[in-house]
Amino acid sequence: MTKSTFQFDNTYLHLPQVFYTKLQPTPVPKPEIVITNTSLAIDLGLDFSDTSPDAQAAMLAGNQMPEGAEPFAQAYAGHQFGHFTMLGDGRAIAWGEHLTPTGQRVDIQFKGSGPTPYSRGGDGRAAIGPMLREYLISEAMHALNIPTTRSLAVVTNGEQVYRETALPGAILTRVASSHIRVGTFQYAALQQDPKTIRSLVDYTIKRHPPRSVTKQNESLSLLESIIEKQVELITHWMRVGFVHGVMNTDNMALSGETIDYGPCAFMDTYNPGTVFSSIDHKGRYAYANQPAIAQWNLARFAETLLPLLDDDAEKAREIAEEAINGFGTAYKDKSLSMLRAKIGLFGESAEDESLMTDLLDWMQRQKADYTNTFLDLTNDAPPKGEPYEDETFKKWHTRWQARLAKNTEPLESSLSLMRANNPVVIPRNHQVEQVLEAATHGDLKPLKALLAALQKPYENSSDLKPYQSPPKPEEKIYQTFCGT
Ligand code: AMP
Ligand code: MG
């Protein structure tokens, strides 16, 4: 018996049965721990100190489920690159919901734990590289104060998975506020039974209570709250230069957390058209398209709620449209505030928007590094170095200084605002790839060093130097792969 302190309370299984299939993870021959997240375990109230490494590995590979776990795979559908498909957890199995010491309810879920009825011919497995990538980037996002699923552990399973070559198989343990996706609602709507969608709405409201319930209609309150959370999430992504890469509706969580780290990467050189994913040929999920895609996904969500928004179909459509249009206005406001914060502006002035777009345009023309340009501005002296000798930049800098002088707050407050919004370090893709390559060959040191460097991304220190340089031309990585 594995000793653990899980407090399971598995409410998802109270939903109608069409939403899930109960099943056990497929046992693996030789589980071995690669990495565990001690600080997350503590936050979750989990203590494995009395559990031997072998027993921990057996648990984190699904060979020995902890008491109270009731494993199941979730059913869902989704638009992938705009095309509707039936999906579901094809290689993920939830253990159930754990209650943390502070009363938070979280899903604990395996990724890579074997086939399920939703695998559609896939092997249900995952390779070590992509699982460590999810671990690394999700933990970096958390440290950046961006809502995200978390990663509790990665274990290898003692088997090989076959992608382009044979690779060590691995299982990630993911922790999330829930795994309810836009695609879960699309799946519910497909059942053509008002009770099914109603039960999912009621369930989602319990797990993610709308922030304001002033409206008569609780489905509308839910829709508005989900829209608000996505506005916040996408604004964060844009702030730090994060490109999710596969914003299919099944990869949008209603919790407002970033989920499904596949081909995601952080932008080095500022370019709104940045795309990393090898399968995103048309740039659907390019950096600058993310707000519009989020809105498109939310429109698919709103459609599933139509029967609950009003008995009159026409009226329901109008209500949904108004809510979805609200995304555009809310995003514009949030995005402007975010950009103001990045350059230390307090209050509002008519010139603010052009001040920011002119800086971004200059960065694009100069092929400037997104993170480091903002970092260079976060000093009390003008930034030094060759790109800043440019006349256009100097003129911009003078305009910026004049605008800062109109600030209602002192310069010190501007600098603090900028420091809180401009990371000093991000997981740069060339380094991510390097550490994953080393880890795949058994050397975890570079991965752990990078993880450590990403723990306090708003505090500059000389130790961070090796992680702050953009890639040299020969180090640049233009493509990332899902690795599924
Ligand atoms: P993703 O691109 O990771 O969001 O996955 C899209 C869909 O493919 C989901 O339904 C996954 O569960 C499924 N999937 C991805 N990889 C595998 C795999 N190796 N075996 C079975 N299903 C998979
Ligand atoms: Mg997915």
Side-chain angles (χ1 to χ4, degrees), residues 174-379:
R174 174 156 78 179
V175 178
S177 296
S178 85
H179 284 87
I180 308 167
R181 304 150 187 270
V182 168
T184 319
F185 274 79
Q186 292 181 289
Y187 173 83
L190 265 189
Q191 308 304 311
Q192 307 279 345
D193 167 17
K195 277 198 229 119
T196 308
I197 189 85
R198 180 81 243 177
S199 63
L200 186 61
V201 167
D202 291 344
Y203 182 75
T204 307
I205 288 175
K206 277 204 200 103
R207 286 208 67 175
H208 306 293
R211 287 170 178 167
S212 97
V213 274
T214 48
K215 295 279 184 333
Q216 290 299 310
N217 185 320
E218 50 186 10
S219 299
L220 179 57
S221 299
L222 178 67
L223 174 60
E224 289 180 340
S225 171
I226 302 297
I227 291 174
E228 196 181 313
K229 286 182 194 168
Q230 287 300 326
V231 166
E232 286 169 14
L233 182 63
I234 305 297
T235 307
H236 274 302
W237 289 1
M238 302 305 278
R239 175 171 66 79
V240 299
F242 177 75
V243 185
H244 182 283
V246 60
M247 287 177 73
N248 296 331
T249 56
D250 51 298
N251 292 337
M252 181 181 266
L254 297 201
S255 61
E257 290 174 349
T258 311
I259 193 169
D260 265 331
Y261 292 87
C264 64
F266 283 71
M267 174 170 71
D268 295 299
T269 304
Y270 177 70
N271 178 358
T274 302
V275 173
F276 291 101
S277 171
S278 61
I279 55 171
D280 191 1
H281 305 298
K282 293 189 182 150
R284 179 180 170 90
Y285 300 139
Y287 172 74
N289 277 359
Q290 297 185 119
I293 289 291
Q295 189 177 25
W296 191 90
N297 289 349
L298 289 163
R300 306 290 76 75
F301 173 53
E303 280 165 4
T304 70
L305 298 177
L306 287 174
L308 302 177
L309 291 176
D310 203 283
D311 290 338
D312 179 84
E314 189 53 37
K315 185 89 197 298
R317 197 156 278 285
E318 275 169 26
I319 295 172
E321 246 171 50
E322 195 187 325
I324 294 299
N325 289 340
F327 178 97
T329 332
Y331 177 73
K332 180 137 207 244
D333 279 0
K334 262 263 174 282
S335 161
L336 265 173
S337 309
M338 175 272 282
L339 287 167
R340 278 199 182 94
K342 278 181 87 70
I343 55 171
L345 305 184
F346 286 99
E348 290 178 16
S349 177
E351 77 225 82
D352 292 354
E353 196 169 347
S354 69
L355 193 61
M356 289 166 315
T357 47
D358 288 351
L359 173 66
L360 291 172
D361 288 348
W362 175 82
M363 284 166 62
Q364 187 177 355
R365 282 197 307 277
Q366 288 284 326
K367 300 191 169 48
D369 185 81
Y370 184 66
T371 305
N372 289 355
T373 303
F374 286 105
L375 187 55
D376 289 342
L377 295 176
T378 316
N379 291 316

Side-chain angles (χ1 to χ4, degrees), residues 430-450:
H430 66 294
Q431 292 182 324
V432 171
E433 296 288 344
Q434 281 164 16
V435 305
L436 293 182
E437 177 70 20
T440 305
H441 293 100
D443 180 8
L444 286 167
K445 261 208 201 125
L447 173 80
K448 290 192 172 168
L450 179 57

